[in-house]
Amino acid sequence: MRFVHDTLPQRVAFGSGAAAANLSNEITALGATRVMLIASRNEMHLADTVAKDVPVVHRHDEVVMHVPAEVAARARRAAVQHSVSALVSVGGGSTTGLAKAVAMTTGLPIIAVPTTYAGSEATPVWGLTEGAKKITGIDKNVLPKAIIYDAVLTMSLPVTMSVASGLNALAHCVDSLWGPNADPINAAFAAEGIRSLAAGLPKVVADPMDLDGREHALYAAYLSAAAFASAGSGLHHKICHVLGGKYNLPHAQTHATVLPYVLAFNGPAAPDAERRIATAFEGTAFAAGGALDGLVALKRELNAPRALADYGFTEDAIEEAAEAILPSVPPSNPRPVTAEDLRVLLRAAWSGADPRTTF
Ligand code: NAD
């Protein structure tokens, strides 16, 4: 066994109902006396409860998906104007993303309080949109210093969004099994992430207030993102990055839809990954058959997003999208990828065809 693994320095405080106390501890540990609280308008009431014991000097609620450059610029100006010493983000990936944009230019530390399963809080990856172009990069300064996980804050996340977001986390796990820097540590995290999602998400669907289900999903969100941050973007993320950026498709739903087709394509050439995924489903209701059967069964149980056509992707864009994705396919992908492979994959994902008969 030979590998080099980058472990990212973050503290993780996990506890249902403990977000306010944990946040207060982290802010004290940082010695921060002027906090900028970032949350979207809809989640600001949650953020106010979480930040009740910290010295907030500015509440910033202009949060927009994919962080448009002008939105980032206004948040950066606000941080400087209020002489902020720490950023606290409470929300999904879009909110964490805005905090990262501010940290990028100001060097301010972030404490992230995630309320979805997107996982941005555990990666050093930032994203900004300029015009219609989404740009991303890696900067260790944008990695939150600490993450506060509190499943109670996710109770209000609607079931459809919880499912899509949970499958976004599952996509981090699966892609990290064959990402450019895949290693056995990422694989261990990914396998535990898949197991925990398969255990938790059906409970969330059955009862959105099921705390145990929510905790399993949130714990998995961390594992999945930590694995992904280390392994790097594999074929699945390269495909979804183009689809999201070029066609403005919703992030989590796009990942949830595309994942089984990538698994159908790569799986036969990645037997170790397949075995790990199938093993992770053991002990759940999705164990019969292999990795792809398990994923298909889980998606059916969750009534998960099925077809890109439902999210605004059109058949006539398949050709162009395939050409746009091809140059970004990682050379380390377990099997070579042609434009025709991508057309077949995208057509199946567009229509919601059975991934088990796509390739
Ligand atoms: P999001 O943050 O846009 O949230 C989706 C919706 O859910 C929003 O309407 C939000 O208001 C709502 N919401 C969030 N938490 C809620 C709660 N607890 N209760 C009720 N409603 C709630 O979506 P997302 O999927 O979390 O994040 C997507 C964004 O994150 C994309 O821009 C994506 O590129 C980015 N992302 C980045 C990374 C990274 O490593 N940099 C990783 C994953 C995602």
Side-chain angles (χ1 to χ4, degrees), residues 18 56 58 61 75 109 128 152 169 196 198 203 205 234 245-246 257 279 288 304 329 356:
V56 174
H58 177 59
D61 67 4
L128 285 173
V152 174
S196 194
K203 289 182 160 190
V205 170
K246 217 170 161 56
T257 305
T279 307
V329 171
R356 291 166 298 186

Side-chain angles (χ1 to χ4, degrees), residues 49-236:
T49 332
V50 172
K52 68 183 176 56
D53 298 325
V54 303
V56 174
V57 294
H58 177 59
R59 294 156 79 251
H60 199 86
D61 67 4
E62 192 195 17
V63 173
V64 181
M65 173 102 88
H66 301 319
V67 196
E70 62 280 10
V71 171
R74 281 192 283 275
R76 288 164 173 167
R77 271 199 301 277
V80 173
Q81 274 161 9
H82 290 89
S83 305
V84 161
S85 54
L87 307 166
V88 171
S89 63
V90 181
S94 301
T95 309
T96 315
L98 181 60
K100 286 178 166 181
V102 177
M104 235 172 112
T105 55
T106 59
L108 288 167
I110 303 174
I111 309 289
V113 188
T115 63
T116 70
Y117 312 126
S120 176
E121 66 278 2
T123 83
V125 180
W126 55 265
L128 285 173
T129 329
E130 281 184 38
K133 200 165 162 27
K134 188 172 171 184
I135 47 168
T136 59
I138 296 179
D139 180 345
K140 289 204 168 159
N141 285 328
V142 310
L143 182 77
K145 296 281 174 279
I147 312 173
I148 312 286
Y149 286 113
D150 181 343
V152 174
L153 303 174
T154 64
M155 295 284 202
S156 54
L157 190 65
V159 166
T160 50
M161 185 61 206
S162 302
V163 166
S165 191
L167 290 169
N168 184 188
L170 192 66
H172 287 142
C173 295
V174 171
D175 222 24
S176 66
L177 294 172
W178 49 56
N181 304 315
D183 69 41
I185 297 176
N186 304 330
F189 272 40
E192 172 67 356
I194 295 168
R195 191 200 63 73
S196 194
L197 286 163
L201 290 178
K203 289 182 160 190
V204 172
V205 170
D207 175 7
M209 303 306 276
D210 186 316
L211 187 61
D212 184 60
R214 292 283 186 190
E215 286 185 339
H216 273 79
L218 199 57
Y219 161 61
Y222 171 73
L223 294 171
S224 75
F228 172 67
S230 168
S233 284
L235 178 63
H236 173 84

